[in-house]
Coordinates of all heavy atoms in Angstrom, one line a residue:
M27 N 4.7 20.2 -16.7 CA 5.2 19.8 -15.4 C 6.7 19.7 -15.4 O 7.4 19.3 -16.3 CB 4.6 18.3 -15.0 CG 5.0 17.9 -13.6 SD 4.4 16.3 -13.3 CE 2.7 16.7 -12.7
S28 N 7.4 20.3 -14.3 CA 8.8 20.3 -14.3 C 9.3 18.9 -13.9 O 8.6 18.0 -13.5 CB 9.3 21.4 -13.3 OG 8.6 21.2 -12.1
E29 N 10.6 18.8 -14.0 CA 11.2 17.5 -13.7 C 11.3 17.2 -12.2 O 11.5 18.1 -11.4 CB 12.7 17.5 -14.2 CG 13.3 16.1 -14.1 CD 14.4 15.9 -15.1 OE1 14.2 16.4 -16.3 OE2 15.4 15.3 -14.8
P30 N 10.9 16.0 -11.7 CA 10.9 15.8 -10.3 C 12.3 15.7 -9.7 O 13.3 15.5 -10.5 CB 10.2 14.4 -10.1 CG 10.4 13.7 -11.5 CD 10.5 14.9 -12.5
A31 N 12.5 16.0 -8.4 CA 13.8 15.8 -7.8 C 14.0 14.3 -7.7 O 13.1 13.5 -7.7 CB 13.7 16.4 -6.4
I32 N 15.3 14.0 -7.5 CA 15.7 12.6 -7.3 C 15.5 12.3 -5.8 O 16.3 12.8 -5.0 CB 17.1 12.3 -7.8 CG1 17.2 12.5 -9.3 CG2 17.6 10.9 -7.4 CD1 18.7 12.5 -9.9
G33 N 14.5 11.5 -5.5 CA 14.2 11.2 -4.1 C 15.1 10.1 -3.5 O 15.2 10.1 -2.3
G34 N 15.8 9.4 -4.3 CA 16.7 8.3 -3.9 C 17.3 7.6 -5.1 O 16.8 7.9 -6.2
R35 N 18.2 6.8 -4.9 CA 18.9 6.1 -6.0 C 18.7 4.6 -5.9 O 19.4 3.9 -6.7 CB 20.3 6.5 -6.1 CG 20.5 7.9 -6.5 CD 21.9 8.4 -6.6 NE 22.0 9.8 -7.1 CZ 22.2 10.0 -8.4 NH1 22.5 9.1 -9.2 NH2 22.3 11.3 -8.8
T36 N 17.9 4.1 -5.0 CA 17.6 2.7 -5.0 C 16.1 2.6 -4.7 O 15.5 3.5 -4.0 CB 18.4 2.0 -3.9 OG1 18.1 2.6 -2.6 CG2 19.8 2.0 -4.2
P37 N 15.4 1.5 -5.1 CA 14.0 1.3 -4.7 C 13.9 1.0 -3.3 O 14.8 0.5 -2.7 CB 13.6 0.1 -5.6 CG 14.8 -0.6 -5.9 CD 15.9 0.4 -5.9
L38 N 12.7 1.2 -2.7 CA 12.5 0.9 -1.3 C 11.4 -0.2 -1.3 O 10.4 -0.1 -1.8 CB 11.9 2.2 -0.6 CG 13.0 3.2 -0.2 CD1 12.3 4.4 0.4 CD2 14.0 2.6 0.8
P39 N 11.8 -1.3 -0.6 CA 10.8 -2.4 -0.4 C 9.9 -2.1 0.7 O 10.2 -1.6 1.7 CB 11.7 -3.6 0.0 CG 12.9 -3.0 0.6 CD 13.1 -1.6 0.0
V40 N 8.6 -2.3 0.4 CA 7.5 -2.0 1.4 C 6.5 -3.2 1.4 O 6.2 -3.7 0.3 CB 6.7 -0.8 1.0 CG1 5.5 -0.5 2.0 CG2 7.6 0.5 1.0
E41 N 6.2 -3.7 2.6 CA 5.2 -4.8 2.6 C 3.8 -4.2 2.5 O 3.4 -3.5 3.4 CB 5.3 -5.5 4.0 CG 6.6 -6.3 4.2 CD 6.7 -7.6 3.4 OE1 5.7 -8.0 2.9 OE2 7.8 -8.2 3.3
V42 N 3.2 -4.3 1.4 CA 1.9 -3.7 1.1 C 0.8 -4.8 1.4 O 1.0 -6.0 1.2 CB 1.8 -3.1 -0.3 CG1 2.8 -2.0 -0.5 CG2 2.0 -4.2 -1.4
E43 N -0.4 -4.3 1.8 CA -1.5 -5.1 2.0 C -2.6 -5.0 0.9 O -2.9 -3.9 0.4 CB -2.3 -4.7 3.3 CG -1.5 -5.0 4.6 CD -2.3 -4.5 5.8 OE1 -3.5 -4.6 5.9 OE2 -1.6 -3.9 6.7
A44 N -3.1 -6.2 0.4 CA -4.1 -6.2 -0.6 C -5.2 -5.3 -0.4 O -5.8 -5.3 0.8 CB -4.6 -7.7 -0.7
G45 N -5.5 -4.4 -1.3 CA -6.7 -3.5 -1.2 C -6.4 -2.2 -0.5 O -7.3 -1.3 -0.5
K46 N -5.3 -2.1 0.1 CA -4.9 -0.9 0.8 C -4.3 0.2 -0.1 O -3.6 -0.2 -1.1 CB -3.9 -1.2 1.9 CG -3.7 0.0 3.0 CD -2.9 -0.6 4.1 CE -2.4 0.7 5.0 NZ -1.4 0.4 6.0
D47 N -4.7 1.4 0.1 CA -4.2 2.5 -0.7 C -2.9 3.1 -0.1 O -2.7 3.3 1.1 CB -5.2 3.6 -0.7 CG -6.4 3.3 -1.5 OD1 -6.3 2.4 -2.4 OD2 -7.5 3.8 -1.3
Y48 N -2.0 3.4 -1.0 CA -0.7 4.1 -0.7 C -0.5 5.3 -1.6 O -1.0 5.3 -2.7 CB 0.5 3.1 -0.9 CG 0.4 1.9 -0.1 CD1 -0.4 0.8 -0.4 CD2 0.9 1.8 1.2 CE1 -0.6 -0.4 0.4 CE2 0.8 0.6 2.0 CZ 0.1 -0.4 1.6 OH -0.1 -1.5 2.4
W49 N 0.1 6.3 -1.1 CA 0.2 7.5 -1.9 C 1.7 7.7 -2.1 O 2.5 8.2 -1.3 CB -0.4 8.7 -1.1 CG -1.9 8.5 -1.0 CD1 -2.6 7.9 -0.1 CD2 -2.8 8.9 -2.1 NE1 -3.9 7.9 -0.4 CE2 -4.1 8.5 -1.6 CE3 -2.8 9.5 -3.3 CZ2 -5.3 8.6 -2.4 CZ3 -3.9 9.7 -4.0 CH2 -5.2 9.3 -3.5
W50 N 2.1 7.5 -3.4 CA 3.5 7.6 -3.8 C 3.9 9.0 -4.1 O 3.2 9.8 -4.9 CB 3.7 6.7 -5.0 CG 5.0 6.6 -5.6 CD1 6.1 6.1 -5.0 CD2 5.5 7.0 -6.9 NE1 7.2 6.2 -5.8 CE2 6.8 6.8 -7.0 CE3 4.8 7.7 -7.9 CZ2 7.6 7.1 -8.1 CZ3 5.6 8.0 -9.1 CH2 7.0 7.7 -9.2
C51 N 5.0 9.4 -3.6 CA 5.5 10.8 -3.9 C 6.0 10.8 -5.3 O 6.8 10.0 -5.8 CB 6.7 11.1 -2.9 SG 7.7 12.5 -3.4
T52 N 5.5 11.8 -6.1 CA 5.9 12.0 -7.5 C 7.0 13.1 -7.6 O 7.7 13.2 -8.6 CB 4.8 12.4 -8.4 OG1 4.2 13.6 -8.0 CG2 3.7 11.2 -8.4
C53 N 7.0 14.0 -6.6 CA 7.9 15.2 -6.7 C 9.4 14.9 -6.3 O 10.2 15.6 -6.7 CB 7.3 16.4 -5.9 SG 7.6 16.2 -4.1
G54 N 9.6 13.9 -5.5 CA 10.9 13.5 -5.1 C 11.4 14.2 -3.9 O 12.5 14.0 -3.4
K55 N 10.5 15.1 -3.3 CA 11.0 15.9 -2.1 C 10.5 15.4 -0.8 O 11.0 15.9 0.2 CB 10.5 17.4 -2.3 CG 11.2 18.0 -3.5 CD 10.8 19.5 -3.6 CE 11.5 20.1 -4.8 NZ 11.0 21.4 -5.1
S56 N 9.7 14.4 -0.8 CA 9.3 13.8 0.5 C 10.4 13.3 1.3 O 11.3 12.6 0.8 CB 8.2 12.7 0.2 OG 7.9 12.1 1.5
A57 N 10.3 13.6 2.7 CA 11.3 13.0 3.5 C 10.9 11.6 3.9 O 11.6 11.0 4.7 CB 11.5 13.9 4.7
K58 N 9.7 11.2 3.5 CA 9.2 9.8 3.9 C 9.1 9.0 2.7 O 8.1 8.3 2.4 CB 7.9 10.0 4.5 CG 7.9 10.7 5.9 CD 6.5 10.7 6.5 CE 6.6 11.4 7.9 NZ 5.2 11.6 8.4
Q59 N 10.2 9.0 1.9 CA 10.2 8.2 0.7 C 9.9 6.7 1.0 O 10.3 6.2 2.0 CB 11.6 8.3 -0.1 CG 11.8 9.7 -0.7 CD 10.9 10.0 -1.7 OE1 10.4 9.2 -2.4 NE2 10.7 11.3 -1.9
P60 N 9.1 6.0 0.1 CA 8.7 6.5 -1.2 C 7.4 7.2 -1.2 O 6.8 7.5 -2.3 CB 8.6 5.2 -2.0 CG 8.1 4.2 -0.9 CD 8.8 4.6 0.3
F61 N 6.8 7.5 0.0 CA 5.5 8.1 0.1 C 5.5 9.6 0.3 O 6.4 10.2 0.7 CB 4.7 7.3 1.1 CG 4.6 5.8 0.9 CD1 5.1 4.9 1.8 CD2 4.1 5.3 -0.4 CE1 5.0 3.6 1.6 CE2 4.1 4.0 -0.6 CZ 4.5 3.1 0.3
C62 N 4.3 10.2 -0.1 CA 4.1 11.6 0.0 C 4.1 12.1 1.5 O 3.4 11.5 2.3 CB 2.8 11.9 -0.6 SG 2.3 13.7 -0.5
D63 N 4.7 13.2 1.8 CA 4.6 13.8 3.2 C 4.1 15.2 3.0 O 4.2 16.0 4.0 CB 6.0 13.8 3.9 CG 7.0 14.7 3.3 OD1 6.8 15.3 2.2 OD2 8.1 14.9 3.9
G64 N 3.6 15.6 1.8 CA 3.1 16.9 1.7 C 4.1 18.0 1.2 O 3.7 19.1 1.0
S65 N 5.3 17.5 1.0 CA 6.3 18.5 0.5 C 6.1 19.1 -0.9 O 6.7 20.1 -1.3 CB 7.7 17.9 0.6 OG 8.0 17.5 1.9
H66 N 5.2 18.5 -1.6 CA 4.9 18.9 -3.0 C 4.0 20.2 -2.9 O 3.8 20.8 -4.0 CB 4.1 17.8 -3.8 CG 2.8 17.5 -3.2 ND1 2.6 16.6 -2.2 CD2 1.6 18.1 -3.4 CE1 1.4 16.6 -1.8 NE2 0.7 17.5 -2.5
A67 N 3.5 20.6 -1.8 CA 2.7 21.7 -1.7 C 3.2 23.0 -2.4 O 4.5 23.3 -2.3 CB 2.4 22.1 -0.2
G68 N 2.4 23.6 -3.2 CA 2.8 24.8 -4.0 C 3.5 24.5 -5.3 O 3.9 25.4 -6.1
S69 N 3.7 23.2 -5.6 CA 4.3 22.8 -6.9 C 3.2 22.2 -7.8 O 2.0 22.2 -7.5 CB 5.4 21.7 -6.6 OG 4.8 20.5 -6.4
S70 N 3.7 21.8 -9.0 CA 2.7 21.2 -9.9 C 2.6 19.7 -9.7 O 1.8 19.0 -10.5 CB 3.1 21.5 -11.4 OG 4.5 20.9 -11.6
F71 N 3.2 19.1 -8.7 CA 3.2 17.7 -8.4 C 2.1 17.4 -7.4 O 1.7 18.2 -6.6 CB 4.5 17.2 -7.9 CG 5.6 17.3 -8.9 CD1 6.5 18.4 -8.9 CD2 5.8 16.3 -9.7 CE1 7.5 18.5 -9.9 CE2 6.9 16.3 -10.7 CZ 7.7 17.4 -10.7
A72 N 1.6 16.1 -7.6 CA 0.6 15.6 -6.7 C 1.0 14.1 -6.4 O 1.5 13.5 -7.4 CB -0.8 15.7 -7.2
P73 N 0.6 13.6 -5.3 CA 0.9 12.2 -5.0 C 0.1 11.2 -5.9 O -1.0 11.6 -6.4 CB 0.6 12.0 -3.6 CG -0.4 13.0 -3.3 CD 0.0 14.2 -4.1
M74 N 0.6 10.1 -6.2 CA 0.0 9.1 -7.1 C -0.6 7.9 -6.2 O 0.1 7.4 -5.3 CB 0.9 8.5 -8.1 CG 0.3 7.3 -8.9 SD 1.5 6.5 -9.9 CE 1.7 7.6 -11.2
Q75 N -1.9 7.7 -6.4 CA -2.5 6.6 -5.6 C -2.1 5.2 -6.1 O -2.1 5.0 -7.3 CB -4.1 6.7 -5.6 CG -4.8 5.7 -4.8 CD -6.3 5.9 -4.8 OE1 -6.8 6.7 -5.6 NE2 -6.9 5.1 -3.9
Y76 N -1.8 4.3 -5.2 CA -1.5 2.9 -5.6 C -2.3 2.1 -4.7 O -2.2 2.1 -3.4 CB 0.0 2.7 -5.4 CG 0.4 1.2 -5.5 CD1 0.5 0.6 -6.8 CD2 0.8 0.4 -4.4 CE1 0.9 -0.7 -6.9 CE2 1.1 -0.9 -4.5 CZ 1.1 -1.5 -5.8 OH 1.5 -2.8 -5.9
T77 N -3.1 1.2 -5.2 CA -3.9 0.3 -4.4 C -3.3 -1.1 -4.6 O -3.1 -1.6 -5.7 CB -5.3 0.3 -4.9 OG1 -5.9 1.6 -4.9 CG2 -6.2 -0.7 -4.0
A78 N -2.8 -1.6 -3.6 CA -2.1 -2.9 -3.6 C -3.0 -4.0 -4.1 O -4.0 -4.3 -3.6 CB -1.5 -3.3 -2.3
P79 N -2.6 -4.7 -5.3 CA -3.4 -5.7 -5.9 C -3.3 -7.0 -5.0 O -4.2 -7.9 -5.1 CB -2.8 -6.0 -7.2 CG -1.4 -5.5 -7.1 CD -1.4 -4.5 -6.1
E80 N -2.3 -7.2 -4.2 CA -2.1 -8.3 -3.3 C -1.2 -8.0 -2.2 O -0.5 -7.0 -2.3 CB -1.6 -9.5 -4.2 CG -0.2 -9.1 -4.8 CD 0.3 -10.3 -5.7 OE1 0.1 -11.4 -5.3 OE2 0.7 -10.0 -6.8
T81 N -1.2 -8.8 -1.2 CA -0.3 -8.6 -0.1 C 1.1 -9.2 -0.5 O 1.2 -10.3 -0.9 CB -0.8 -9.3 1.1 OG1 -2.1 -8.7 1.6 CG2 0.2 -9.1 2.3
K82 N 2.0 -8.3 -0.5 CA 3.4 -8.7 -1.0 C 4.4 -7.6 -0.7 O 4.0 -6.5 -0.2 CB 3.3 -8.8 -2.5 CG 3.1 -7.5 -3.3 CD 3.2 -7.7 -4.8 CE 2.9 -6.3 -5.5 NZ 3.0 -6.5 -6.9
K83 N 5.6 -7.9 -1.0 CA 6.7 -6.9 -0.8 C 6.8 -6.2 -2.2 O 7.0 -6.8 -3.3 CB 8.0 -7.5 -0.5 CG 9.1 -6.5 -0.3 CD 10.4 -7.2 0.0 CE 10.5 -7.8 1.4 NZ 11.8 -8.4 1.7
A84 N 6.5 -4.9 -2.2 CA 6.6 -4.1 -3.5 C 7.8 -3.2 -3.4 O 8.2 -2.7 -2.3 CB 5.4 -3.3 -3.6
F85 N 8.4 -3.1 -4.5 CA 9.6 -2.2 -4.6 C 9.3 -0.9 -5.2 O 9.1 -0.8 -6.5 CB 10.8 -2.9 -5.3 CG 11.3 -4.1 -4.6 CD1 10.7 -5.3 -4.5 CD2 12.5 -3.9 -3.8 CE1 11.3 -6.4 -3.8 CE2 13.0 -4.9 -3.0 CZ 12.4 -6.1 -3.1
F86 N 9.2 0.2 -4.4 CA 8.7 1.5 -4.9 C 10.0 2.3 -5.5 O 11.0 2.3 -4.8 CB 8.1 2.3 -3.8 CG 6.7 1.7 -3.5 CD1 6.5 0.7 -2.5 CD2 5.6 2.2 -4.1 CE1 5.2 0.3 -2.2 CE2 4.3 1.8 -3.9 CZ 4.1 0.8 -2.9
C87 N 9.7 3.0 -6.5 CA 10.7 3.9 -7.1 C 10.9 5.1 -6.2 O 9.9 5.7 -5.7 CB 10.2 4.4 -8.5 SG 11.2 5.7 -9.2
T88 N 12.2 5.5 -6.0 CA 12.5 6.7 -5.2 C 13.1 7.7 -6.2 O 13.1 8.9 -5.9 CB 13.4 6.4 -4.1 OG1 14.6 5.9 -4.5 CG2 12.7 5.5 -3.1
C89 N 13.7 7.3 -7.4 CA 14.4 8.3 -8.2 C 13.4 9.1 -9.0 O 13.7 10.1 -9.6 CB 15.4 7.6 -9.1 SG 14.7 6.6 -10.6
K90 N 12.1 8.6 -9.1 CA 11.0 9.2 -9.8 C 11.2 9.3 -11.4 O 10.6 10.1 -12.0 CB 10.8 10.7 -9.3 CG 10.7 10.8 -7.8 CD 9.7 9.9 -7.1 CE 9.9 9.9 -5.6 NZ 9.0 8.9 -4.9
R91 N 12.0 8.4 -11.8 CA 12.2 8.2 -13.3 C 11.7 6.9 -13.9 O 11.8 6.7 -15.0 CB 13.7 8.4 -13.6 CG 14.3 9.7 -13.9 CD 14.1 10.7 -12.7 NE 14.7 11.9 -12.9 CZ 14.5 12.9 -12.0 NH1 13.9 12.7 -10.8 NH2 15.1 14.1 -12.2
T92 N 11.0 6.2 -13.0 CA 10.4 4.9 -13.5 C 9.4 5.1 -14.6 O 8.6 6.0 -14.5 CB 9.9 4.1 -12.3 OG1 9.4 2.8 -12.9 CG2 8.8 4.8 -11.6
A93 N 9.3 4.2 -15.5 CA 8.2 4.2 -16.5 C 7.1 3.3 -16.0 O 6.1 3.1 -16.7 CB 8.7 3.8 -17.9
N94 N 7.2 2.7 -14.9 CA 6.3 1.7 -14.3 C 5.8 2.3 -12.9 O 5.7 1.5 -12.0 CB 6.9 0.4 -14.2 CG 5.9 -0.7 -13.7 OD1 4.7 -0.7 -14.1 ND2 6.4 -1.7 -13.0
A95 N 5.5 3.6 -12.8 CA 5.2 4.2 -11.5 C 4.0 3.5 -10.9 O 3.0 3.2 -11.6 CB 4.9 5.7 -11.7
P96 N 4.0 3.3 -9.6 CA 5.1 3.8 -8.7 C 6.2 2.8 -8.4 O 7.0 3.0 -7.5 CB 4.3 4.1 -7.4 CG 3.3 2.9 -7.4 CD 2.9 2.7 -8.9
L97 N 6.2 1.7 -9.2 CA 7.2 0.7 -8.8 C 8.4 0.8 -9.7 O 8.4 1.4 -10.7 CB 6.6 -0.7 -9.1 CG 5.2 -1.0 -8.4 CD1 4.6 -2.3 -8.7 CD2 5.4 -0.8 -6.9
C98 N 9.5 0.3 -9.1 CA 10.9 0.5 -9.7 C 10.9 -0.3 -11.1 O 10.4 -1.4 -11.2 CB 11.9 -0.1 -8.8 SG 13.5 -0.2 -9.5
D99 N 11.5 0.3 -12.1 CA 11.7 -0.4 -13.4 C 13.3 -0.4 -13.7 O 13.6 -0.7 -14.8 CB 11.0 0.2 -14.5 CG 11.5 1.5 -15.0 OD1 12.4 2.1 -14.2 OD2 11.1 2.1 -16.0
G100 N 14.1 0.0 -12.7 CA 15.5 -0.1 -12.9 C 16.0 1.2 -13.5 O 17.2 1.4 -13.7
A101 N 15.2 2.3 -13.7 CA 15.7 3.5 -14.2 C 16.7 4.2 -13.4 O 17.6 4.9 -13.9 CB 14.5 4.5 -14.3
H102 N 16.8 3.9 -12.1 CA 17.9 4.6 -11.2 C 19.2 4.2 -11.7 O 20.2 4.9 -11.4 CB 17.6 4.2 -9.7 CG 17.7 2.7 -9.5 ND1 16.6 1.8 -9.6 CD2 18.7 1.9 -9.1 CE1 16.9 0.6 -9.4 NE2 18.2 0.6 -9.1
S103 N 19.4 3.1 -12.3 CA 20.7 2.6 -12.7 C 21.2 3.4 -13.9 O 22.4 3.4 -14.3 CB 20.7 1.1 -13.1 OG 19.8 0.9 -14.2
K104 N 20.3 4.2 -14.6 CA 20.8 5.1 -15.7 C 20.9 6.6 -15.3 O 21.1 7.4 -16.2 CB 19.7 5.0 -16.8 CG 19.5 3.5 -17.3 CD 18.6 3.4 -18.5 CE 18.1 2.0 -18.8 NZ 17.0 1.6 -18.1
L105 N 20.8 6.9 -14.0 CA 20.9 8.2 -13.6 C 22.4 8.7 -13.7 O 23.3 7.9 -13.5 CB 20.5 8.4 -12.1 CG 19.0 8.2 -11.8 CD1 18.9 8.2 -10.2 CD2 18.2 9.4 -12.4
P106 N 22.6 10.0 -14.1 CA 23.9 10.5 -14.1 C 24.5 10.5 -12.6 O 23.7 10.6 -11.7 CB 23.8 11.9 -14.6 CG 22.4 12.2 -14.6 CD 21.6 10.9 -14.5
A107 N 25.8 10.2 -12.5 CA 26.4 10.1 -11.1 C 26.2 11.4 -10.3 O 26.1 12.4 -10.9 CB 27.8 9.7 -11.2
Ligands
FES16 FE1 6.2 14.4 -3.2 FE2 3.8 14.8 -2.1 S1 5.8 15.0 -1.2 S2 4.2 14.2 -4.1

């Protein structure tokens, strides 16, 4: 798999609902970050399913370098400028 594009440089907070599915963009090309908009079509990327464990504000990774996908782990702070 090739390296994903950088979809953003800060996490995006989203109010998620317990038990609801969300489809996180893994390719970095979606215009609807942090979620998939189909822009990965024709690539080796596919969206990642996230089922919210509880109703809360979740901080989704947009840089696509997190080791805790789909949530932010602070990896964006180590991106080259
Ligand atoms: Fe990026 Fe679908 S648009 S995974």
Side-chain angles (χ1 to χ4, degrees):
M27 185 181 275
S28 54
E29 186 153 324
I32 296 171
R35 289 177 175 266
T36 56
L38 283 174
V40 177
E41 295 284 349
V42 296
E43 284 179 43
K46 190 174 171 189
D47 291 332
Y48 299 84
W49 294 92
W50 182 65
C51 167
T52 62
C53 74
K55 293 185 177 167
S56 174
K58 294 184 176 172
Q59 292 296 332
F61 301 122
C62 175
D63 72 351
S65 296
H66 63 272
S69 75
S70 59
F71 292 94
M74 173 188 284
Q75 184 177 8
Y76 172 76
T77 304
E80 58 185 317
T81 298
K82 64 175 180 177
K83 184 183 289 184
F85 289 82
F86 287 88
C87 169
T88 60
C89 76
K90 313 305 174 186
R91 270 58 176 178
T92 180
N94 186 36
L97 304 178
C98 175
D99 74 348
H102 59 275
S103 64
K104 301 184 191 91
L105 290 171

